Structures are given as C-alpha cells and as structure tokens.
Amino acid sequence: MNTAKAGENAAGVSEHDIPPHDVIVIGSGAAGLTAALELAESKRVLVLAKGSLTGGSTAWAQGGIAAVLDAGDTFENHVRDTMVAGAGLNNREAVEFVIERAPGSIDRLCELGVPFNREKMESGDALHLTREGGHSHRRIVHVDDATGWAVQDALLTAARANENITLLPGRTAIDLITDRHREHYSGAGHVWGVYALNEETGRVERHVARATVLASGGAGRVYRFSTAPRGATGDGIAMAWRAGARVSNMEMMQFHPTCLYNLDVKNFLITEAVRGEGGRLTNPRTGKRFMAYYDAERMELAPRDVVARAIDAEIKRFGLDYVHLDISHESPEFVKGHFPTIHEKLIGLGIDMTSEPIPVVPAQHYTCGGVVVDLSARTDLPGLWAAGECTESGLHGANRLASNSLLECFVFGEAAAFDILARWDELGEPPSILPWDESRVTDSDEEVVIKQNWTEIRRFMWNYVGIVRTTKRLERAAHRIELLKREVEDYYGSFRVTTDLIELRNLLQAAELIVKSALHRKESRGLHYTLDYPETEAEPRDTVLVP
C-alpha cells in the first residue's frame, strides 16, 4: 500500500511523492469509485477528493437505488415513470441504457458486500423493495434509510484493497489541465489532468494522466437552503465549462419537498420513502391534508417538483414556516424498522415521529443539468469523461425520479471506464505540463470578502431563482452575478488560492449557468416553473450552453 492510500492522513503527501498514474478520477463518491474499480483491473488510478473521502453526496443518500427486480414490474414501467417525472425532456435512449443495466449494478454491489435489506419469500430470501414518489411499482433497493453510507463504505473498502488505486483526500480541484498548459502551447482542447490545491500545505499540484474522469458532484450549495454536503459547489461543472465543454439544462435544479425544518440543523433530509410508506402531508394550521388540491390522483406520491411546489404554495398561502409530514398513524415498530436513522436523529432533536408529525420545508436537493455526456460518458473534450451529478446524460430530463441518481453513478462510472479502456491506444502519452504560476499573487488579507460574496450568492439565488421564478427575478440575479464576477475575478487574480476562494469562483460560475439557462427557457417544464411562461411547449428542447 503506497503512502497516499492511507486515507485521511495522506493530505500532506506532495505530488512528487505520488507515483505516475494512467487515469485521474476527480471525486470519491459512487461514480468516481465505480470508474476507478473498473479501470484498476489494468490501469493505475489516482482518486482525488476534496476534503475527506466520504465528504460527497453519496454517503448522504437515504432512500435507495431504483431497479426492476419484482416479477410484476418491467423495464418499460421504469422507463415510463422516469420519462413522466422528467416531463418528456429525457433522452429515451439514455433512460433505457441506464434502466436496463440497473439489475446488473445491484448484483455487483451485492458482490462488494452492500448489506441490502432482505425479506423472507416462499422461494427464499429476496431483496426488500420499497416505493417512492413517482414510481408505479416497488423497486427501491435499500439499506434501511442509510443506503448511501453503506454503498460508500463498500466501494471505499474495495478501493483501499486495490493496489492499482491511490486515494488522495484533501485536494481541491482548481482547473482542468488542457493543451494550453503545455510547455509548448497547443490550441487543441485535450484534457491531461487537473491542477489541485493541497489543502494541508496550501500549494498547488499538477496531477497529469492520459485520461481524466470528472465525478465531482452537483452545485447544490449555490442555494441558501440545500440538502447537499458543504462541498457541492459545482466545481466539476465550472471547470469543464472553463475548459470548453458544453453544459445543458442547468435551470433544472431539483428541490426536495421534505427537508427538516430546524433552526439548528439546516440540511437534514427526510427521505421520499417516508411518503412512499404512507406519510401524509398536512397543514399545521388546519390539520388537514392538502395534496388533493394540487395533485388529487397521486397525492403524496406525485413527483418531487409537484410536491415541492405544492408545499411552497401552501406555505405562502397560509404564511407558514413549514408543513407537517406525518407517519404517526403507522405502528412505532413499523416506523422504527423502516426509518431507524431518521427516527434516531429526530429523537435527538426532541421529535418523536412515531407519535407526532415532522416539520418540513423544501430545499435544493439535486442538480439535474450539467456537463453534456454521451452514453460512453464522453464529454466534448478529448481525454475527459464525466459521470454522476456533475453531468447531463439525458436520464433525468426536467426532473429526476427518486432513487435514479445513485443508479446513474454506477452505470455511467462503468461506461466511462469501459470507453477509456477501449480507446486507450488512441489517447497518447501526456505532454510536459507547466507548473502552477504563483509568481504574481500574495496571501489574502481580506477573507471577509469571500464570506460576504458566498452569502450574497446563496441568498439571491434562493430568492430569485428558486422553486417559482419570473423573468424580472432572473434578470435581477443576472445583474448581481455580473457585478460579483468582476469582484471575484479581481480577487482571484491577486491572491493565492484557498479552498474557499476556489469554491466561491465555481459557485458564481454555476449560478451564472443556472440563470442563463433559466432565461433561455420560455416555458414551464418540470423543475423550471416561471409565472411569465406558465405553459409547456409541445416540443421538449434541451437548453444547451456553449462556452
């Protein structure tokens, strides 16, 4: 085991102590580790993680993984549910590609030791399947209500045991290395790795390889209220955009309907499965269920965008701080058995979900748009593949169906690895790359600027580019972004980079892409709802931005 594989204590390792690698993977979640494990069959792989190896969104996922495993279910049912949730903006070929590979992904996770819940059947043990909003059948494989952590743990265990994988935490990616960073400049757009900040030493390192896989997660922290982890600042999306890759459907930001309302705990998610298992949404003032006013047929099992808008409307109509999610009509044994993690967390906060309702509000939850990729996870840039929440693969369309996100990570992480291996001889050896230039910068003496701008971005994005939008609000956001861009670029060009500064730069870039995309779409579809264009056009079209 080399020094960098020791995990969290490897942050101080310098680039000169790390042996050469064939492939660099940016991100240590489900997509990145899936790609790394496949590639490591024959290649040396370096996995870079911002902060800790478990700091991404994968470990936070409560619900589960969607897969057709029940005899009464079909691929076509899952495809239809995904397309309905995505408001027709999905690429059907991508949807079929992912869904048909779902059972195989579950098999591989079982082989890695993920302890999925099981139930006794006449034919023997079978995976326990639950149901979530938008699904017509029970098809969610899960580990209690902490599936993501179990998956993260199994993938990391396998990666740590693989001698061809080097895990390097404490690295904040700054920019992709392209041909313009060669010692002998070339105008081509090939990607050769990444410049990354060593968070312990404060120095910028070159990590160079034949192929790079971007698996850096979403941009949820662009909003004031989000269930995303602290590091979800759109780094991969912003880096790919600056390097010349197209992005698509960035206006499609998913808001989870049920985030815990608590002044001390701001991003604890109450999984979709609570509603799937019978949880009811009620108005705390009237005590009555309200989903019948917004979607009488599907009620609490409507897709997330419908439920989030319904809760938002109910809160605004009655001047509420939150609504209630109530599953206390089920037995305490049922509730604790299905949701042990949530029950334990809430008990610690003085809420007993077995006997009282849970106060909930919508919060940003998932980035449906991102870097454009094909079915082989290829981006526009030679040498760069991408998988997971940082991408727009065509799977989610205008709204992600519950529990399709981890599935996308497994399928496209694997697809990236397969394509890299198939094209290996075409990639060529990396050229000599220039070191990071710090000759004209100094240490910052105004860190307050970063904190102030970070807070301002998240606040105006929540107020102007949230669940319900208008053209005037979007234009106000665009104006603020232009002013902040000049300030941040001036700051970035004058001072040594820090993780906070890198994230602020990327956060602002992600915000700009979201607002530009939202202004381009002159209709309401899925997650993008605007009062100025409330109708849905007959022909669905992707919003594609070109650098």
Side-chain angles (χ1 to χ4, degrees), residues 72-131:
D73 199 5
T74 64
F75 287 149
E76 183 54 37
N77 288 336
H78 193 176
V79 168
R80 183 176 61 250
D81 292 345
T82 301
M83 299 285 288
V84 168
L89 195 63
N90 326 64
N91 178 328
R92 186 180 177 94
E93 186 181 5
V95 175
E96 292 175 347
F97 177 80
V98 172
I99 286 168
E100 289 170 4
R101 286 161 177 76
S105 293
I106 300 300
D107 288 343
R108 282 184 287 281
L109 290 170
C110 289
E111 291 169 6
L112 286 174
V114 177
F116 291 118
N117 288 31
R118 293 182 174 271
E119 59 183 341
K120 295 287 185 182
M121 307 286 284
E122 289 183 8
S123 56
D125 269 7
L127 291 169
H128 179 266
L129 305 176
T130 189
R131 184 180 173 192

Side-chain angles (χ1 to χ4, degrees), residues 159-170:
R160 285 187 171 116
N162 193 308
E163 288 298 322
N164 274 344
I165 296 176
T166 300
L167 300 170
L168 199 60

Side-chain angles (χ1 to χ4, degrees), residues 62 117 142-146 268 271 274 332-348 353-354:
Q62 292 178 348
N117 288 31
H142 63 104
V143 182
D144 295 328
D145 55 351
F268 186 69
T271 174
V274 173
E333 293 74 24
F334 178 90
V335 174
K336 292 184 210 176
H338 280 72
F339 310 109
T341 307
I342 296 174
H343 178 263
E344 182 180 353
K345 177 75 170 181
L346 294 179
I347 285 291
M353 66 187 290
T354 68

